[in-house]
Amino acid sequence: MSMETTAWTQLYSVMHAKDERRPFARATLRRIGAFARPHRRRIVRFVLLGMATALLAVATPVLAGKIVDAIVSDGDEGTVVRLALLIAAIALAEAVLGILSRRLSATLGEGLILDLRTAVFDHVQRMPVAFFTRTRTGALVSRLNNDVIGAQRAFSNTLSGVVSNAVTLVLTLAVMLTLSWQITLLALVLLPVFVLPARRMGRRMARMQREAAALNAAMGTRMTERFSAPGATLIKLFGRPEEESAEFADRARRVADIGVRTATAQAAFITALTLVSALALALVYGLGGFFALRGTLDPGAVVALALLLTRLYAPLTALAGARVEVMSALVSFERVFEVLDLTPLIDEKPDARPVPDGPVAVEFDDVRFGYPSADKVSLASLEEVATLDTRGGEEVLHGLSFRAEPGQTIALVGSSGAGKSTIAQLLPRLYDTDTGTVRVGGVDVRELSARSLRDTVGMVTQDGHLFHDTVRANLLLARPDATEDDLWEALRRARLADLVRSLPDGLDTVVGERGYRLSGGERQRMTIARLLLARQRVVILDEATAHLDNTSEAAVQEALAEALQGRTAVVIAHRLSTVRAADRILVVEGGRIVESGTHEELLVADGRYAQLHRTQFERTAMDKAA
């Protein structure tokens, strides 16, 4: 490796290293070892290849010196040819080892990335909903990308680099000292002139790099927000395009200025180091030539020293920057372990059992619940705040009890924030109760397997979320083995088949981010079709028609009536007209059930339900009059 290449590598390492100086616990190193253990054979082969490459790198200059000596001393041609062929063979061996080493490096690095990403992804999927409501998606994705790759570099780059550079350094110094200890010591005097500016300039450029990264991140966040369908709509309605453009251009201009300064600093630095390299070589040729003319040093030794010098500074500089690379990799590992150390609040028992077959009843028995505080479910770095919000844990459901018999529809009504959606989230075990029990099919949900509970309890929320994928893919989330006929039957029952047939690619039409190519009512009917396809025995409807117009609501209500047939249902509704036919209506206020009965019974009781009914009826009458 040349001195210029080493300089670039050193600069890159310092520029991209995280500014972290605290010591690392042995536990971190043990955990790294646990991830590395499955790859230990590859690591050993990788290290051995690095050592072999280092040995060959030192052999070439020594052989080149012997060729010069053979030429100067009028040696026979056969010796020169044999040495030249040996150098060629070493070059070929270095090329082969280089390819093998690169392949092994890629296999090792990608294998580690696969293990880390899979571990983080699987762990994140087990986290409660509260984790996702607090975490910035971009920060979490960064852990799966940037930090995992940073951790991988510890194995594919730093590990082999430290070993091969250490071997190269020891061998090179040993050979140089054997040839001429005076020249070797003088050459080492120039080392600080090479290393110190590299570290100082590297830190300066690292600051510029971080500033550019922060500006780029801000621009990326701004573009992500503005280019999403709701963000673009908001800007068109309330935004000021000229000011938006000017602010974006200002940040882009600052990034461009930093780019110019960085490029100039890099060029000056590399030029200076090239000059140092030339001075070191001049010293070797000058002093070595002087000794050679006096007969105290062979001419071949001068050539060998000059060639070895280029092999000396590179590993010295790389090892000087190894601490930066190691610390950077360790920081990346710790950031990954931070996520893995978050304890999922929902944990499946080893002996979890399935929901019993047949019709399913739903029961809440003296349930008390408070949402967990941020320090239990999140990280400050993922929320991009200095400290986590310690508020939380206040009880929002207070001793709540009710039962829905198999096939029965229970409606939950009440003011906003009364606790209705919280009740709905406890049933599919998105959260666990603090005290009390939620039962499905007579079994505590904490005793049930996650898959069985998922196959039994289905939920339709008010936003009707869809992925940026095809109609087919969005439906198959509910039942991957569903046939084409199953899909069309679910769409027909959701009153959506005609619409899908009219789309350009039918079932293979992409619905857009969050399903924004469909109307609100169409998105809701898609989620209902998904529910019908899943054939779950318990259905939760959380304000499924809250934001729909009358026409869309009528279509969705018709589809919902189909979806609820023969199923146990818990329906949360703001519009009381949609729950009149419920078997029982529970009025929830302040996390408590304050009334219970049928629509007619509650109107006769003239309590909170009657009050809500009158308020909505009067508002509807006023709207019609207007």
Side-chain angles (χ1 to χ4, degrees):
M1 184 187 291
S2 68
M3 292 177 68
E4 291 81 2
T5 303
T6 302
W8 279 109
T9 304
Q10 174 75 358
L11 273 177
Y12 180 87
S13 299
V14 177
M15 287 168 60
H16 290 80
K18 297 174 175 63
D19 188 14
E20 184 70 49
R21 296 183 181 276
R22 62 186 175 84
F24 288 86
R26 291 183 179 179
T28 301
L29 297 177
R30 283 197 297 269
R31 293 182 69 177
I32 294 172
F35 270 99
R37 194 169 296 119
H39 306 279
R40 57 186 178 275
R41 291 184 180 177
R42 288 197 185 104
I43 293 173
V44 171
R45 290 199 297 268
F46 191 31
V47 170
L48 291 176
L49 276 176
M51 295 172 66
T53 303
L55 286 168
L56 293 176
V58 175
T60 300
V62 174
L63 292 174
K66 290 187 178 297
I67 287 179
V68 172
D69 285 338
I71 294 171
V72 172
S73 62
D74 296 325
D76 63 282
E77 292 131 350
T79 301
V80 174
V81 171
R82 282 193 299 273
L83 289 172
L85 289 174
L86 186 54
I87 290 175
I90 289 174
L92 180 61
E94 279 190 286
V96 172
L97 288 179
I99 294 172
L100 291 176
S101 180
R102 184 66 190 94
R103 177 177 175 78
L104 194 54
S105 169
T107 304
L108 179 60
E110 294 302 328
L112 185 70
I113 286 178
L114 175 63
D115 292 347
L116 283 173
R117 279 183 175 159
T118 303
V120 175
F121 187 84
D122 291 348
H123 188 77
V124 167
Q125 285 198 110
R126 296 171 55 213
M127 296 304 293
V129 173
F131 171 79
F132 299 98
T133 61
R134 306 194 66 94
T135 299
R136 291 197 66 173
T137 305
L140 186 57
V141 170
S142 176
R143 299 293 170 101
L144 276 166
N145 289 329
N146 301 339
D147 288 307
V148 167
I149 292 174
Q152 170 257 341
R153 278 201 297 265
F155 287 89
S156 60
N157 293 351
T158 308
L159 177 65
S160 65
V162 168
V163 173
S164 61
N165 283 322
V167 173
T168 302
L169 179 63
V170 171
L171 290 175
T172 303
L173 275 174
V175 174
M176 289 183 71
L177 288 169
T178 302
L179 294 173
S180 175
W181 64 268
Q182 300 95 330
I183 294 176
T184 303
L185 293 179
L186 285 173
L188 289 175
V189 171
L190 290 175
L191 179 64
V193 181
F194 184 68
V195 174
L196 295 178
R199 296 182 66 82
R200 186 171 299 172
M201 181 65 76
R203 290 193 184 97
R204 177 185 167 193
M205 294 177 70
R207 287 195 296 271
M208 290 190 288
Q209 185 81 1
R210 282 192 287 271
E211 185 180 352
L215 290 169
N216 276 315
M219 285 194 298
T221 300
R222 196 171 188 83
M223 285 188 289
T224 300
E225 290 178 341
R226 267 65 177 175
F227 291 170
S228 66
T233 303
L234 187 63
I235 289 298
K236 289 183 180 297
L237 292 175
F238 298 105
R240 300 179 297 278
E242 294 80 10
E243 286 82 350
E244 290 278 337
S245 178
E247 184 174 348
F248 183 85
D250 178 63
R251 293 185 183 182
R253 193 175 298 109
R254 288 162 63 190
V255 172
D257 292 341
I258 291 172
V260 171
R261 297 205 311 270
T262 302
T264 304
Q266 286 175 344
F269 178 66
I270 297 301
T271 301
L273 293 179
T274 303
L275 178 61
V276 172
S277 175
L279 291 174
L281 285 173
L283 173 65
V284 171
Y285 284 126
L287 191 57
F290 175 78
F291 287 149
L293 289 173
R294 296 187 61 179
T296 58
L297 189 65
D298 293 332
V302 178
V303 174
L305 283 167
L307 293 174
L308 287 168
L309 181 68
T310 62
R311 309 285 174 116
L312 177 67
Y313 276 74
L316 274 172
T317 308
L319 289 172
R323 178 186 172 278
V324 176
E325 295 181 21
V326 170
M327 295 298 286
S328 176
L330 287 173
V331 171
S332 294
F333 268 114
E334 281 221 332
R335 284 168 59 83
V336 171
F337 292 154
E338 263 190 325
V339 177
L340 293 176
D341 286 341
L342 282 170
T343 304
L345 298 183
I346 310 298
D347 200 15
E348 183 175 324
K349 291 187 176 181
D351 57 346
R353 52 190 178 129
V355 178
D357 294 333
V360 176
V362 169
E363 183 181 4
F364 280 63
D365 183 6
D366 195 24
V367 168
R368 295 180 181 274
F369 173 76
Y371 285 100
S373 57
D375 59 325
K376 293 182 179 178
V377 296
S378 186
L379 294 170
S381 56
L382 289 178
E383 294 188 27
E384 298 186 3
V385 296
T387 56
L388 286 171
D389 186 357
T390 56
R391 294 174 297 174
E394 297 88 359
E395 194 173 270
V396 295
L397 296 182
H398 315 288
L400 189 138
S401 298
F402 70 88
R403 179 179 172 86
E405 299 296 338
Q408 195 175 43
T409 297
I410 298 293
L412 303 177
V413 302
S415 307
S416 296
K420 305 185 297 296
S421 292
T422 303
I423 295 170
Q425 290 174 334
L426 292 176
L427 188 52
R429 209 185 172 198
L430 299 181
Y431 294 94
D432 270 344
T433 63
D434 294 334
T435 61
T437 307
V438 177
R439 299 185 182 92
V440 172
V443 182
D444 189 333
V445 293
R446 290 167 293 197
E447 304 290 334
L448 296 170
S449 70
R451 177 176 292 278
S452 177
L453 188 61
R454 201 164 49 239
D455 291 341
T456 303
V457 180
M459 189 171 185
V460 176
T461 58
Q462 57 184 299
D463 66 343
H465 188 84
L466 299 173
F467 289 124
H468 182 80
D469 210 330
T470 63
V471 173
R472 184 191 306 276
N474 274 284
L475 291 175
L476 289 177
L477 281 172
R479 208 171 96 223
D481 62 343
T483 65
E484 192 97 352
D485 290 340
D486 292 334
L487 297 180
W488 283 113
E489 176 63 15
L491 289 170
R492 183 194 65 76
R493 294 174 65 192
R495 311 301 189 266
L496 208 58
D498 291 340
L499 171 72
V500 173
R501 285 194 179 94
S502 69
L503 295 174
D505 298 310
L507 287 170
D508 295 314
T509 302
V510 175
V511 299
E513 185 180 5
R514 299 182 67 184
Y516 269 104
R517 294 181 188 175
L518 304 176
S519 70
E522 290 164 353
R523 285 199 300 274
Q524 283 297 75
R525 279 181 279 165
M526 274 285 289
T527 60
I528 293 168
R530 196 158 56 194
L531 186 75
L532 288 165
L533 197 63
R535 299 174 183 171
Q536 289 143 319
R537 290 174 282 168
V538 177
V539 175
I540 305 167
L541 305 178
D542 188 0
E543 303 277 12
T545 62
H547 303 305
L548 303 181
D549 56 46
N550 291 333
T551 303
S552 296
E553 182 184 4
V556 171
Q557 284 290 359
E558 191 176 355
L560 286 174
E562 182 94 15
L564 295 182
Q565 285 182 4
R567 291 176 168 84
T568 306
V570 176
V571 180
I572 299 171
H574 174 69
R575 299 179 186 178
L576 301 185
S577 58
T578 63
V579 297
R580 288 182 178 181
D583 295 295
R584 191 150 55 100
I585 298 171
L586 307 179
V587 183
V588 181
E589 293 293 345
R592 294 180 172 85
I593 296 174
V594 296
E595 285 186 307
S596 174
T598 64
H599 171 72
E600 291 77 12
E601 290 171 349
L602 292 173
L603 286 180
V604 171
D606 198 26
R608 177 59 179 158
Y609 180 83
Q611 182 184 1
L612 290 170
H613 188 271
R614 281 194 298 272
T615 302
Q616 285 195 14
F617 179 78
E618 290 170 0
R619 187 183 301 120
T620 302
M622 291 174 62
D623 291 341
K624 288 181 178 179

